[in-house]
Amino acid sequence: MRKILVVFLISSMLFSCGGSGKKRGNDRGMIVPAKQAKSFSPTRPIGMVPVPSGSFVMGNTDYDFAQQQNATPKTVSVTGFYIDDTEITNAEYNIFVEYVRDSIVRQRLAERAYEMGYDGTSAPGQDGIAQFAFKNMSVNGQESAYQQYINEMADGRSGYDAERQLNWDVDIIWDKYEYPDRDYVEVMEDMYYAPEDRFNGERLLDVRKLNFVFSEVDKNRAARAHFDENAKRSDFVKVDTVNIYPDTTVWVRDFNYAYNDPLHNDYFWNKAYLDYPVVGVSWDQARGFAAFRTNKHKNYNLSLKAKNREDIIVYRLPTEVEWEYAARGGKENAPYPWGGPYLADSRGCYLANFKPRRGDYIEDCCAKNKEPGFMYTAPVKTFFPNDFGLYDMSGNVAEWTQSPYNNAAGEFTGTLNPYLGAGDDIAVKTVKGGSWKDVGFMLMVGSRDWEHKDSARSYIGFRTVQTIPEGADVRYKRTRQ
């Protein structure tokens, strides 16, 4: 009894003194959150528009074609999100390619410099490859304890190699006649095709080496293992390595007995195609782009002062339901983004880039500028947007969605943000929107198509989305009724 009393008195003293001797707050011993809820206004990403939460009838409502049971009408509800107002263009995807290229070059240069004894402390002021050594994370000019620990642990096995920071302050030297030393030459030369693989002696980067590594949590597997006491967090982290360069051979491979070689040579390279949607990109490459976009935004956010930072929402591919909801532009039971049911306006101008007649891939005119139509893809924003401000939701290029494809998905999925959440292992993904080589039926917002996730096509591109948290203060564009 005496021991119990002593323990009670000690506990009372601890709580009456503020627990650990710290200055007592003004909560009067009650639970008062240090942070109060405030209105959250996420920054609208450049090139994106907000789509509000809502309900709509998904699927083909006015048409009943044979073998289209996969588009059975169904009322569903969708959370609000930001979505790219156009398909991702060659210019935008090029930023991704250049970042991966530069990261790999800097990583290899830094590793070679480290092998030569340059650890970031001895590199400043040095010429040649030494200037590309890993950056020294110093405090008041002194190497931090954490930097010392990373250097000790960076052995390729511990996982700390990624903590070493590349030096982005020095420009990469691309001119082979200006390479500063032999070690630099060896690193750079390994990035190019070997002499025996060169065509007409042209020295080009070996795009097979442009691999992007990113990771994500397998939430479905984590949910299934919720009660597994032996499960570790690392069991649910999925690391993907994706070669990110577009497959330019799709222009030749997709069409037999057709001379599309000029597009194979120029579509992703030539400046004339910068504003055209990127194609030849697989589902995994599209996911890689979204992960890169998230990391790029997060890194910029971390470079700001703490008071100016904000929560960064993950970029990702849209689900099939999100895509169709956005494509409708707030219009109920409309077969096309512009309402419909016609593919041309009152002047006879086609409203999208598609195949209007048998053997005829060229539209008579474009809706905005009355120019002759396009044989292949068209520059983004050539045609009028829908009421959400989104361009080319039908035609131009079909688009990857995040959703796995199942012909009967509408029969067993729910009505609240429907999604076949079976993970990324399902090889077939849903594709929406129709493309420049498709007939008008495939342009209907309720039409569904599919493709293997590891396939790339000359008529499939993508756009990304960000989920808007419920209760966020967002100014939405009003739709015309």
Side-chain angles (χ1 to χ4, degrees):
M1 180 70 183
R2 182 177 299 175
K3 291 182 178 178
I4 296 176
L5 180 62
V6 171
V7 171
F8 175 77
L9 290 174
I10 293 175
S11 301
S12 300
M13 292 175 62
L14 286 173
F15 279 107
S16 64
C17 295
S20 60
K22 295 182 180 179
K23 184 178 180 180
R24 189 174 4 177
N26 57 359
D27 58 11
R28 293 179 293 170
M30 291 175 277
I31 302 298
V32 180
K35 296 181 179 180
Q36 300 297 321
K38 296 181 180 179
S39 176
F40 174 61
S41 299
T43 300
R44 180 174 67 87
I46 296 174
M48 283 186 153
V49 297
V51 174
S53 302
S55 301
F56 75 105
V57 178
M58 182 180 180
N60 287 333
T61 55
D62 295 337
Y63 297 84
D64 185 17
F65 290 92
Q67 299 180 353
Q68 277 299 308
Q69 297 89 347
N70 61 355
T72 304
K74 178 179 181 179
T75 299
V76 297
S77 298
V78 186
T79 303
F81 52 92
Y82 287 109
I83 184 170
D84 291 314
D85 61 356
T86 71
E87 295 139 338
I88 297 300
T89 64
N90 284 323
E92 292 171 320
Y93 197 84
N94 235 308
I95 295 174
F96 180 33
V97 172
E98 291 177 357
Y99 169 81
V100 173
R101 177 200 66 189
D102 292 358
S103 296
I104 293 173
V105 170
R106 292 182 186 278
Q107 180 72 26
R108 293 189 176 195
L109 290 172
E111 289 173 351
R112 176 63 67 88
Y114 185 75
E115 293 173 0
M116 298 174 64
Y118 300 109
D119 58 1
T121 57
S122 55
Q126 295 285 335
D127 294 327
I129 201 170
Q131 60 189 320
F132 293 92
F134 292 109
K135 292 190 70 173
N136 175 36
M137 295 179 289
S138 60
V139 178
N140 297 325
Q142 298 295 321
E143 186 178 36
S144 65
Y146 188 64
Q147 175 69 49
Q148 296 175 12
Y149 182 76
I150 288 175
N151 288 337
E152 294 173 2
M153 297 296 293
D155 57 2
R157 299 185 302 274
S158 64
Y160 277 93
D161 292 57
E163 291 286 334
R164 298 190 294 184
Q165 294 185 6
L166 299 177
N167 184 5
W168 289 85
D169 298 332
V170 182
D171 293 335
I172 296 175
I173 303 170
W174 293 105
D175 189 337
K176 61 184 178 181
Y177 296 112
E178 295 182 3
Y179 289 165
D181 53 43
R182 182 178 177 81
D183 292 286
Y184 193 98
V185 172
E186 290 183 358
V187 171
M188 293 298 291
E189 194 65 12
D190 189 55
M191 288 296 297
Y192 291 82
Y193 287 107
E196 61 269 19
D197 292 330
R198 296 174 186 175
F199 180 70
N200 288 334
E202 190 174 11
R203 185 169 176 265
L204 297 174
L205 279 171
D206 187 348
V207 296
R208 297 171 298 181
K209 297 182 179 181
L210 300 184
N211 296 320
F212 179 65
V213 181
F214 63 103
S215 61
E216 59 184 5
V217 176
D218 188 338
K219 305 177 190 64
N220 294 287
R221 185 179 178 187
R224 291 193 297 269
H226 179 69
F227 298 105
D228 185 357
E229 296 181 355
N230 298 320
K232 298 181 294 182
R233 193 169 189 267
S234 58
D235 295 337
F236 314 123
V237 177
K238 182 179 179 181
V239 180
D240 288 317
T241 301
V242 179
N243 183 271
I244 52 88
Y245 198 81
D247 183 359
T248 58
T249 65
V250 294
W251 291 105
V252 179
R253 190 175 63 248
D254 286 347
F255 304 95
N256 295 324
Y257 308 110
Y259 184 70
N260 294 327
D261 294 35
L263 290 163
H264 161 64
N265 295 330
D266 298 330
Y267 188 81
F268 189 66
W269 284 83
N270 198 300
K271 294 180 180 179
Y273 291 102
L274 287 178
D275 292 333
Y276 284 64
V278 67
V279 296
V281 174
S282 69
W283 186 80
D284 283 322
Q285 288 174 317
R287 286 176 52 244
F289 177 89
F292 157 72
R293 196 172 184 181
T294 300
N295 293 339
K296 188 175 190 298
H297 202 166
K298 285 182 176 179
N299 289 337
Y300 170 76
N301 190 56
L302 291 173
S303 69
L304 302 175
K305 294 182 179 179
K307 64 178 181 180
N308 296 328
R309 295 174 185 170
E310 61 180 347
D311 295 330
I312 302 301
I313 305 171
V314 171
Y315 295 83
R316 57 178 174 81
L317 293 175
T319 65
E320 178 184 359
V321 179
E322 288 172 332
W323 190 98
E324 185 170 331
Y325 178 55
R328 292 181 180 274
K331 295 182 181 295
E332 286 288 344
N333 302 325
Y336 298 104
W338 49 86
Y342 305 110
L343 291 163
D345 61 16
S346 58
R347 300 167 295 171
C349 289
Y350 286 109
L351 298 171
N353 180 20
F354 69 111
K355 180 184 178 182
R357 302 180 188 90
R358 177 173 294 182
D360 184 359
Y361 289 84
I362 303 178
E363 305 81 26
D364 290 340
C365 59
C366 298
K368 287 183 68 175
N369 50 26
K370 296 184 180 181
E371 292 179 356
F374 298 88
M375 184 177 294
Y376 301 97
T377 58
V380 298
K381 297 188 177 181
T382 295
F383 298 87
F384 287 115
N386 70 2
D387 285 354
F388 281 151
L390 304 175
Y391 297 84
D392 294 324
M393 294 302 287
S394 286
N396 214 12
V397 295
E399 299 175 18
W400 289 111
T401 71
Q402 183 172 299
S403 299
Y405 180 85
N406 187 295
N407 189 54
E411 300 297 328
F412 56 81
T413 54
T415 56
L416 178 63
N417 285 323
Y419 177 65
L420 290 175
D424 298 333
D425 295 333
I426 295 180
V428 179
K429 304 300 178 182
T430 303
V431 177
K432 298 282 286 185
S435 73
W436 58 269
K437 62 90 181 172
D438 290 317
V439 297
F441 172 72
M442 295 305 300
L443 271 62
M444 292 182 180
V445 291
S447 294
R448 307 177 71 222
D449 204 353
W450 58 269
E451 185 55 80
H452 293 279
K453 70 173 188 175
D454 58 354
S455 296
R457 298 294 183 183
S458 61
Y459 45 84
I460 298 179
F462 70 100
R463 68 182 80 206
T464 62
V465 300
Q466 279 186 330
T467 301
I468 297 177
E470 289 290 319
D473 184 12
V474 177
R475 182 173 298 179
Y476 296 98
K477 178 180 178 181
R478 294 196 176 194
T479 60
R480 298 190 298 271
Q481 300 295 329

